[in-house]
Amino acid sequence: MSVRLDDLDRKILRELQRDAGQSLDVIAKTVGSSKTPVWNRIRKMREAGVVGQQTVLLDAESLGFEACFFVLIRTSEHEADWQDKFLQVLRDRPEVLEAHRLAGEIDYILKVRVANARAYDEFYQALISEVKIFNVTALLSMEEIKFTTELPV
């Protein structure tokens, strides 16, 4: 379900995506409005589910998480019990930053951030010990070319 947004809403969203930590005064000045209308629009967009939780982005490499793996998973299991267990295992693993169920030959793709290849192997060994998986392929990202969380609103 999409929400109706006008140009001012979109400007506010772009500013929030760029830096949600900036003050309402700064956002209002940047988008050409005053503080109260901007606050009311943000509140309405939160209530509508357009704006979610606020957080900060951390630099993975400076924290020692230097290896990013994309993990392709094929399974021969498609029962609800297996899927529930698999999804719970993924939710419980902090190394898994993203998980997507796919159409096509690959069933799932995970984005996994770890310190190094040894740490990835520990993750892999734990994963396959907890759930039955038909095939796992790990692809090491050599370089992050683009990363953003900003949607083109």
Side-chain angles (χ1 to χ4, degrees), residues 2-137:
S2 64
V3 176
R4 279 189 102 86
L5 302 172
D6 64 17
D7 286 340
L8 182 56
D9 292 326
R10 292 177 191 283
K11 288 178 184 177
I12 293 168
L13 290 174
R14 282 192 292 271
E15 282 304 304
L16 288 173
Q17 287 188 104
R18 191 178 62 74
D19 181 2
Q22 60 188 318
S23 72
L24 277 174
D25 290 325
V26 171
I27 294 171
K29 183 178 179 182
T30 303
V31 302
S33 184
S34 59
K35 187 174 171 177
T36 301
V38 167
W39 168 246
N40 286 330
R41 286 172 179 260
I42 292 171
R43 183 181 48 78
K44 287 178 183 173
M45 288 188 282
R46 276 198 179 112
E47 290 169 359
V50 173
V51 175
Q53 73 183 37
Q54 288 182 267
T55 186
V56 296
L57 300 175
L58 304 178
D59 184 75
E61 288 188 16
S62 68
L63 292 169
F65 301 102
E66 296 183 4
C68 179
F69 286 88
F70 292 91
V71 182
L72 311 176
I73 295 177
R74 290 180 56 209
T75 181
S76 57
E77 309 289 322
H78 296 283
E79 296 79 24
D81 289 344
W82 179 90
Q83 188 174 37
D84 290 344
K85 180 163 178 63
F86 177 69
L87 297 179
Q88 191 57 54
V89 167
L90 295 183
R91 287 184 191 106
D92 291 344
R93 298 304 305 213
E95 305 94 331
V96 178
L97 301 184
E98 293 183 39
H100 301 266
R101 189 168 56 86
L102 305 175
E105 290 185 30
I106 304 298
D107 296 304
Y108 298 91
I109 186 169
L110 313 178
K111 181 178 181 181
V112 175
R113 200 44 117 139
V114 290
N116 51 38
R118 183 170 317 231
Y120 170 76
D121 187 52
E122 290 170 9
F123 163 80
Y124 167 76
Q125 295 297 330
L127 178 67
I128 62 171
S129 74
E130 295 185 55
V131 289
K132 182 179 176 187
I133 296 174
F134 176 71
N135 183 275
V136 177
T137 301

